[in-house]
Amino acid sequence: MSSRNATPVPVPAGLFAPRLRAMTVGSVALVSLLAFEALAVGTAMPTVARSLDGLALYGIAFGGPFAAGVLAMVVSGIWCDARGPRGPMWHGVGWFVVGLLIAGTAPTMTALVVGRVVQGFGSGLLSVALYVIVGQAYPEELHRRIFAAFAAAWVVPSLVGPALAGLIVEYLGWRWVFLVVPAVAVPAVLLIHPGLRSLDGTVPSRPPAGAMARIGWACGAGVSAALLHIGGQQRGVTALAVIALALAGLLVCAPRLLPPGFLRAARGLPTVVGLRGLASAAFVGAEVVIPLMLSRERGLSPTAAGLVLTVGALAWSVGSWVQGRFPVPASRASFPRVGLCCITAGTATVALAVRPELPVAVAVLGWAVAGLGMGLLYPSLSVLTLELSAPGEQGRNSSSLQLGDSLFAAIVLALTGAVLAAGSAPGPASYVVTLAVAAGLALVGALLAGRVVMDADHTAGRVIG
């Protein structure tokens, strides 16, 4: 089923046509802020933990926001489908800003964790609401371009975010990493506000059946995800016990939050969500290993190893730009399949760089290919999610897409950490195993990519391939 506005309107000439200009600028700015905060906090947290004597709460400072975000994505999806995206957008910004202010002024590590949880809840509300806004405010002809713009909005933060956060911590203090973002977040949502008013009332006014049960399963999945994150930072038997408990919780809760048929890769939306999760897990699983491998095995400085990741981010942006301007392919499976093949080949190529006789340029090239694949894949799956959603299902399906992304990545990160911590120190075998798993996940996705298209290339009577 195709996502579209309830009232037909002339198709704007582009993302910056008068009717869409303010909404495009505001939406892209919010995505950039979410990206900057996600990347910058990781840089600042070691200093924060020392300053507040809160090393014991270090794990929950990351796991707590992740759990809150899982719950918020589900809540936002239900809310958007019942009332439209205006409420979740405003509340998302409100929770996000309040959380940042609490964290930035926190006198103790406990208070900072509370702020991080509030911030994470706001981020989850925002991320789903932005997808629904795209589905309702932008014509289908512009979906690929706006999602490409969202992908590009992550590039600048990924390039300068950690370094900028480091400078802020060094010269202004860690609190300003949290306090500078609200000054931009509020003006950004004000740009979106006029366009949001026209979207209310375009969807049913009552929450769907089973909404409360879905929220309950989201609470279980969120707690399990937090445990998984915490377990990944432990060592020995404790790590294995916590990870096993978390995986069991996710196995029970997560399938109830994802589309029916997800576990068997049913055609259409279940496979779309699955491919997003597999791609995210493959890319993130490799991304955390590459700097460690290049610094320990090839002698690169942290800065030089980080530049390899920068190449991947730039290639991601290029891939997003290409898919946004390339003619619509004959089959909707084309971009996902090519993207996952690139991730598979690129990650496998990076693994070859563990051999000292091969130049480091092999890793750079491989990661560029993987980044290009992510750029081709991510926006195309976002577009497919909206195409396969009726107007009253855009929130739930967008929530499922992002939940799959987050949960798959969390699982692989925890397991990767366990593999790297298994011995006295990570070695070539550890790197090869983790990168091989990442490449294998992407390969599975490439083999399943054709299933994003419904039987006979139709969905509800509409050709999508």
Side-chain angles (χ1 to χ4, degrees):
M1 280 174 272
S2 173
S3 61
R4 54 185 180 274
N5 295 333
T7 303
V9 294
V11 177
L15 297 180
F16 295 97
R19 183 171 70 83
L20 296 176
R21 184 182 299 123
M23 183 168 285
T24 297
V25 172
S27 298
V28 171
L30 283 175
V31 173
S32 292
L33 291 176
L34 293 175
F36 172 79
E37 198 59 31
L39 295 164
V41 167
T43 302
M45 279 304 296
T47 302
V48 174
R50 289 193 300 270
S51 175
L52 298 179
D53 192 24
L55 192 59
L57 296 177
Y58 192 86
I60 197 65
F62 289 96
F66 190 91
V70 169
L71 174 60
M73 288 176 194
V74 174
V75 170
S76 186
I78 295 170
W79 195 349
C80 286
D81 287 341
R83 302 287 183 181
R86 184 181 180 185
M89 174 61 66
W90 275 107
H91 276 265
V93 171
W95 285 76
F96 183 64
V97 168
V98 169
L100 290 170
L101 293 176
I102 293 173
T105 57
T108 65
M109 191 68 172
T110 300
L112 184 130
V113 169
V114 171
R116 291 276 291 141
V117 170
V118 172
Q119 173 197 339
F121 190 80
S123 298
L125 292 176
L126 276 173
S127 62
V128 174
L130 284 169
Y131 269 56
V132 178
I133 287 171
V134 170
Q136 294 187 9
Y138 290 80
E140 287 187 13
E141 291 81 358
L142 295 180
H143 284 180
R144 290 199 297 157
R145 293 193 177 186
I146 185 60
F147 282 123
F150 285 178
W154 274 83
V155 172
V156 172
S158 66
L159 294 177
V160 305
L164 181 58
L167 291 174
I168 291 174
V169 169
E170 184 175 353
Y171 291 102
L172 298 178
W174 62 264
R175 296 183 184 278
W176 288 100
V177 172
F178 298 97
L179 297 177
V180 296
V181 174
V184 184
V186 174
V189 79
L190 289 175
L191 287 173
I192 301 173
H193 177 63
L196 286 178
R197 286 181 297 185
S198 65
L199 301 182
D200 287 350
T202 62
V203 292
S205 58
R206 291 186 178 182
M212 291 307 298
R214 186 171 169 82
I215 291 175
W217 290 117
C219 290
V223 172
S224 299
L227 286 175
L228 190 64
H229 191 100
I230 294 169
Q233 298 183 353
Q234 308 301 314
R235 294 293 182 269
V237 177
T238 301
L240 294 177
V242 174
I243 290 175
L245 179 63
L247 289 175
L250 288 175
L251 186 62
V252 172
C253 299
R256 292 167 171 81
L257 301 172
L258 301 173
F262 169 79
L263 292 177
R264 56 183 174 85
R267 284 187 173 273
L269 187 66
T271 296
V272 171
V273 172
L275 294 190
R276 177 77 167 253
L278 288 169
S280 177
F283 194 83
V284 171
E287 189 175 44
V288 298
V289 171
I290 290 171
L292 185 64
M293 181 187 76
L294 293 179
S295 61
R296 291 178 65 93
E297 302 300 321
R298 305 306 301 268
L300 268 65
S301 67
T303 301
L307 287 176
V308 178
L309 301 185
T310 299
V311 170
L314 291 172
W316 187 328
S317 180
V318 171
S320 299
W321 183 88
V322 168
Q323 70 80 39
R325 285 156 179 79
F326 201 84
V328 177
S331 171
R332 289 292 194 263
S334 296
F335 278 134
R337 181 181 290 114
V338 172
L340 284 157
C341 286
C342 287
I343 298 168
T344 303
T347 305
T349 300
V350 172
L352 296 176
V354 76
R355 299 180 64 88
E357 64 269 22
L358 294 177
V360 173
V362 169
V364 177
L365 175 62
W367 199 235
V369 171
L372 181 68
M374 290 294 279
L376 295 173
L377 174 85
Y378 254 53
S380 62
L381 293 180
S382 300
V383 171
L384 271 169
T385 299
L386 294 181
E387 285 189 350
L388 294 168
S389 303
E393 298 173 346
Q394 292 169 344
R396 177 179 179 130
N397 293 343
S398 297
S399 168
S400 294
L401 184 74
Q402 295 180 48
L403 279 171
D405 185 327
S406 298
L407 295 178
F408 269 59
I411 291 170
V412 167
L413 283 174
L415 295 178
T416 298
V419 170
L420 294 177
S424 57
S430 302
Y431 306 133
V432 170
V433 167
T434 52
L435 290 171
V437 168
L441 291 172
L443 179 59
V444 170
L447 295 174
L448 294 174
R451 299 181 67 81
V452 300
V453 181
M454 301 292 284
D455 289 328
D457 283 359
H458 285 73
T459 175
R462 180 179 181 274
V463 177
I464 68 165

